[in-house]
Amino acid sequence: AQTVTQSQPEMSVQEAETVTLSCTYDTSESDYYLFWYKQPPSRQMILVIRQEAYKQQNATENRFSVNFQKAAKSFSLKISDSQLGDAAMYFCAYRSAEGLFVSGDKIIFGKGTRLHILP
Amino acid sequence: DVKVTQSSRYLVKRTGEKVFLECVQDMDHENMFWYRQDPGLGLRLIYFSYDVKMKEKGDIPEGYSVSREKKERFSLILESASTNQTSMYLCASSLAGRNLAHEQYFGPGTRLTVT
């Protein structure tokens, strides 16, 4: 079974600085998708960025980028020029893309990293 | 924009009560999910549904049931609420398709307190 591990329960970063959130996963599959979700305090969870395992190029969305190391099974999120609005719980997530269609397209989530932005 | 709505943001129920949590999505998504979120435990999947009247157990289905009579609506039922079901409940939906990077869209959550 696949697992997703976020080893940093909490992190803090100074406003305007850069921070990297770590995520490792375990799988025997070669084709899958990885996601970072953001859950601001008292607000809905939203997708930050996604990566398809077959793509070697790291995904980027504005100030958010990932460092995808497939062999190491590592998928870290880098936030550049941190802003107060980046304060949130961040979840790393995995979804399989292999095999026959299986109902549900389940996503496996890590336990999350709470990010604090210091003004 | 995809919208996933949940019937209540906050709910307080007594032990033993039957509790219904409703979730509605407006984007014709095939898949719908119910999670519970607890501090230090992340999101844990309770049940999911991939079509009307179709459902499958997630990781922690005990004490819960679900209903999906219409494509847009997915209900979570606590047959006899207990204090250990006090939690934040999140609903999500997504398009189907194993070979596509479909994200899940989440509702705002229902914070349920069982006293």
Side-chain angles (χ1 to χ4, degrees):
Chain A
Q2 296 84 17
T3 58
V4 177
T5 302
Q6 294 179 249
S7 58
Q8 306 148 315
E10 285 196 65
M11 294 186 72
S12 297
V13 63
Q14 210 74 35
E15 195 175 2
E17 297 293 308
T18 294
V19 64
T20 298
L21 280 59
S22 301
C23 173
T24 57
Y25 57 95
D26 188 28
T27 184
S28 59
E29 299 175 333
S30 60
D31 197 11
Y32 47 86
Y33 305 101
L34 297 166
F35 306 87
W36 278 99
Y37 282 85
K38 170 185 177 181
Q39 186 182 37
S42 301
R43 291 176 60 189
Q44 275 165 264
M45 183 116 64
I46 57 172
L47 180 71
V48 175
I49 199 165
R50 82 188 85 198
Q51 175 81 40
E52 292 152 28
Y54 65 86
K55 289 186 177 178
Q56 292 187 339
Q57 188 171 5
N58 289 325
T60 299
E61 290 284 345
N62 300 313
R63 298 182 295 107
F64 297 86
S65 61
V66 298
N67 184 4
F68 173 48
Q69 302 287 329
K70 192 172 184 179
K73 296 179 184 173
S74 171
F75 183 61
S76 60
L77 175 70
K78 185 172 83 171
I79 306 174
S80 303
D81 185 25
S82 298
Q83 300 175 0
L84 294 178
D86 295 333
M89 182 73 88
Y90 287 82
F91 292 95
C92 180
Y94 170 102
R95 184 164 81 79
S96 173
E98 286 192 353
L100 298 174
F101 172 72
V102 173
S103 61
D105 299 326
K106 290 187 291 183
I107 289 180
I108 299 165
F109 288 88
K111 288 183 167 46
T113 296
R114 185 170 298 282
L115 179 65
H116 303 277
I117 310 295
L118 307 173
Chain B
D1 271 358
V2 176
K3 277 198 177 163
V4 181
T5 56
Q6 296 183 229
S7 50
S8 306
R9 289 300 301 270
Y10 300 94
L11 208 53
V12 180
K13 294 292 181 180
R14 294 196 181 274
T15 302
E17 280 193 82
K18 191 168 186 176
V19 181
F20 292 86
L21 302 182
E22 304 283 337
C23 176
V24 177
Q25 50 94 3
D26 66 356
M27 284 301 293
D28 203 34
H29 284 172
E30 293 85 358
N31 299 327
M32 295 189 75
F33 307 83
W34 275 107
Y35 296 92
R36 91 173 254 177
Q37 183 178 11
D38 299 289
L41 298 178
L43 273 70
R44 292 181 291 169
L45 182 64
I46 303 172
Y47 267 98
F48 63 94
S49 169
Y50 51 93
D51 202 349
V52 175
K53 297 190 187 295
M54 306 305 289
K55 62 186 180 186
E56 286 197 24
K57 293 179 181 179
D59 301 317
I60 52 164
E62 296 78 19
Y64 304 94
S65 62
V66 290
S67 173
R68 193 165 180 202
E69 296 296 319
K70 293 185 177 182
K71 191 174 185 179
E72 67 271 19
R73 188 180 298 269
F74 191 36
S75 303
L76 179 69
I77 303 154
L78 287 66
E79 294 289 343
S80 178
S82 64
T83 55
N84 62 12
Q85 292 178 309
T86 291
S87 187
M88 171 70 86
Y89 290 87
L90 298 178
C91 176
S93 72
S94 73
L95 288 167
R98 208 90 200 281
N99 61 347
L100 296 169
H102 293 312
E103 67 186 274
Q104 288 187 9
Y105 294 86
F106 284 82
T110 295
R111 187 166 294 281
L112 173 67
T113 302
V114 183
T115 61

